[in-house]
């Protein structure tokens, strides 16, 4: 079975370096924050092109802590996409604010800026664009709307490490960015982890306070925060992987381009467009399968030994916890949830695996059409 994602080839290549850095951490006997985390935070900040990086426990915590650090409070509304991983909406609720889900643009699967504008109320405090599947959201439009309406923009960069919109890295455009180092993300650790990026000194200080029980100085707890620190060992591992991330993203882009060449002409299939001005880093390669054929197509591919997945089968506004909390009609979101299908995508995929996926998908497609 060809998996959707396999981290092992990357690990094999870096094994000696990883072993040495991990051993170095074990030798110090210090495992929480410390110099490894500080070095990594600085390296991430310069990679993204911001002044501050604040390492935390997960991408979810990066969103929660960033929301509080930028000043989102109970009663505030935060406009975001319903077509995302649950954590995007969850973080908004966890800080006591209210998510306002608006529809997406079918071509990019990201927030539709016109609908963001239409959803603004006097309670709106912030917008969370999600750079879904590694494709930067329309940041030019979103930043313009935010500035005109005095709103804060927190970028959900969990899937977009190394992606850029018109030359600017995701995570450097809004007041803050929230990244995840979950193992399958474009920069993945060997466990949970995340980071907040920002140019704002006060937001950075508040995030540092919140991640460590509301204290910057030991036992001087100034507010109620979290135990959400990045482990030294994860920072060391991620710091070894960081210099390889852009080459890995290039490999992802190459795989996506090969898939597009192979599947672009299949009738009833819409392949993801590859933007020219923005750098899409293909966290996922996600097709649309029209005419209600998605699940049949997925089964046919899987029966032939290639994994597929549906990201995401249930938009957030259709989950029971969010029932009746939708804003307007989310027609595109609901339709895409029935059409999307993700194929294997990871930098360590061999040419042989890539060719096998392509042959299998085409064979499954012709089988489906001849059976119909
Ligand atoms: C993975 C993900 C998160 C959460 O990150 P974790 O590290 O798993 O907590 C948030 N938003 C999106 C869009 C994600 O894909």
């Amino acid at each position: 079975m060809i998996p959707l994602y396999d981290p092992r080839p990357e690990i094999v290549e870096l094994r000696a370096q990883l072993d040495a850095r991990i051993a170095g951490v074990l030798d110090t006997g210090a495992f929480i924050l410390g110099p490894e985390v500080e070095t990594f935070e600085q390296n991430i900040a310069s990679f993204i092109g911001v002044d501050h990086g604040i390492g935390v426990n997960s991408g979810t915590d990066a969103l929660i802590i960033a929301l509080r650090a930028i000043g989102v409070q109970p009663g505030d509304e935060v406009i975001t996409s319903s077509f995302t991983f649950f954590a995007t909406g969850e973080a908004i609720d966890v800080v006591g604010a209210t998510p306002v889900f608006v529809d997406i643009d079918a071509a990019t699967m990201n927030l539709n800026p016109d609908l963001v504008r239409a959803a603004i109320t006097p309670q709106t405090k912030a917008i969370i664009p999600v750079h879904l599947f590694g494709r930067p959201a329309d940041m030019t439009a979103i930043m313009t709307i935010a500035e005109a309406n005095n709103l804060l923009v927190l970028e959900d960069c969990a899937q977009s490490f190394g992606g850029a919109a018109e030359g600017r890295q995701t995570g450097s455009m809004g007041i803050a960015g929230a990244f995840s180092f979950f193992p399958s993300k474009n920069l993945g650790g060997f466990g949970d982890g995340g980071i907040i990026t920002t140019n704002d000194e006060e937001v950075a200080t508040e995030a540092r306070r919140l991640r460590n029980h509301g204290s910057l100085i030991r036992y001087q707890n100034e507010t109620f925060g979290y135990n959400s620190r990045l482990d030294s060992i994860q920072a060391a591992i991620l710091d070894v992987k960081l210099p390889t991330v852009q080459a890995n993203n290039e490999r992802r882009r190459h795989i996506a381009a090969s898939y597009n060449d192979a599947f672009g002409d299949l009738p009833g299939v819409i392949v993801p467009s590859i933007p020219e001005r923005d750098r899409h880093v293909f966290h996922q390669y996600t097709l649309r399968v029209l005419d209600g054929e998605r699940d049949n197509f997925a089964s046919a591919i899987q029966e032939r030994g290639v994994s597929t997945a549906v990201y995401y089968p249930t938009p957030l506004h259709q989950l029971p916890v969010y029932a009746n909390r939708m804003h307007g009609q989310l027609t595109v979101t609901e339709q895409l949830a029935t059409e999307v299908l993700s194929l294997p995508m990871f930098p360590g995929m061999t040419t042989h695996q890539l060719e096998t996926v392509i042959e299998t998908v085409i064979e499954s497609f012709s089988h489906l059409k001849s059976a119909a």
Side-chain angles (χ1 to χ4, degrees):
M1 198 80 188
I2 297 181
L4 215 60
Y5 172 72
D6 186 353
R8 289 169 301 179
E10 288 174 61
I11 297 172
V12 168
E13 232 164 84
L14 296 173
R15 187 61 193 259
Q17 272 176 276
L18 288 164
D19 284 348
R21 281 289 281 275
I22 293 168
V25 176
L26 299 190
D27 287 342
T28 68
F31 304 122
I32 305 287
L33 297 176
E36 285 287 3
V37 173
E38 279 166 34
T39 302
F40 177 64
E41 287 176 338
Q42 280 160 18
N43 289 339
I44 288 286
S46 59
F47 182 99
I48 301 296
V50 294
D51 292 339
H52 310 278
I54 302 96
V56 294
N57 240 325
S58 67
T60 305
D61 280 8
L63 286 165
I64 293 169
I65 292 172
L67 279 169
R68 280 187 61 188
I70 66 175
V72 170
Q73 293 181 341
D76 291 339
E77 292 177 358
V78 179
I79 299 171
T80 193
S81 172
S82 176
F83 197 58
T84 178
F85 179 61
F86 185 63
T88 312
E90 182 182 36
I92 299 168
D93 280 272
V94 162
V95 305
T98 303
V100 175
F101 298 116
V102 303
D103 213 356
I104 52 174
D105 170 57
T108 65
M109 304 190 192
N110 282 324
L111 276 183
N112 179 332
D114 292 333
L115 300 176
V116 171
R117 195 183 287 108
I120 296 171
T121 73
Q123 280 69 51
T124 309
K125 175 85 178 195
I127 306 167
I128 303 186
V130 181
H131 305 301
L132 196 74
F133 304 146
R135 180 181 188 130
D138 185 349
M139 290 305 289
T140 306
I142 290 169
M143 292 310 295
T144 304
I145 294 165
E147 275 154 31
N149 294 279
N150 204 17
L151 304 176
L152 300 166
V153 174
L154 168 60
E155 297 173 67
D156 184 337
C157 308
Q159 302 187 3
S160 68
F161 197 96
E166 298 189 20
R168 298 188 65 186
Q169 288 279 324
T170 62
S172 72
M173 294 169 275
I175 181 140
F179 290 87
S180 164
F181 303 127
F182 185 80
S184 66
K185 302 289 163 87
N186 290 41
L187 178 59
F190 299 167
D192 281 309
I195 202 164
I196 297 161
T197 53
T198 184
N199 278 315
D200 189 303
E201 178 95 44
E202 279 175 41
V203 169
T205 304
E206 189 56 20
R208 284 187 196 287
R209 208 188 329 262
L210 288 169
R211 77 167 169 189
N212 195 23
H213 300 290
S215 86
L216 291 169
I217 301 164
R218 210 172 197 184
Y219 303 127
Q220 295 189 17
N221 306 80
E222 302 164 274
T223 184
F224 301 111
Y226 309 89
N227 175 353
S228 183
R229 300 165 301 218
L230 184 63
D231 293 335
S232 315
I233 217 159
Q234 293 301 340
I237 289 161
L238 291 161
D239 205 47
V240 170
K241 293 185 78 184
L242 179 60
T244 67
V245 75
Q246 286 302 36
N248 285 339
N249 282 340
E250 268 319 306
R251 176 72 182 152
R252 288 175 182 272
R253 287 165 57 82
H254 170 78
I255 294 167
S258 306
Y259 282 163
N260 272 9
D261 284 347
F263 311 140
D265 293 333
L266 296 180
V269 170
I270 299 178
V271 297
S273 63
I274 302 180
E276 271 175 26
R277 284 195 307 178
D278 293 349
R279 182 176 162 83
H280 185 336
V281 290
F282 285 95
H283 173 61
Q284 296 295 342
Y285 178 86
T286 303
L287 297 163
R288 290 171 61 194
V289 185
L290 309 181
D291 310 319
E293 290 284 2
R294 192 262 315 274
D295 293 344
N296 292 335
F297 196 26
S299 311
I301 295 170
Q302 274 159 221
E303 276 163 23
R304 289 169 174 76
V306 171
S307 306
T308 68
V310 172
Y311 302 117
Y312 294 91
T314 311
L316 303 197
H317 71 280
Q318 292 185 322
L319 290 168
V321 284
Y322 282 127
N324 307 317
R325 297 254 308 266
M326 56 194 285
H327 176 88
Q329 295 299 310
L330 306 190
T331 324
V332 179
T333 297
E334 289 174 17
Q335 187 178 335
L336 257 61
T338 69
E339 294 176 349
V340 287
L341 187 65
S342 298
L343 298 178
M345 170 58 83
F346 52 96
M349 189 188 280
T350 63
T351 305
H352 179 70
Q353 284 175 316
L354 174 60
E355 284 164 1
T356 307
V357 174
I358 289 174
E359 280 161 24
T360 305
V361 168
I362 289 173
E363 192 186 300
S364 307
F365 189 80
S366 25
H367 175 82
L368 214 66
K369 289 297 148 182
S370 61

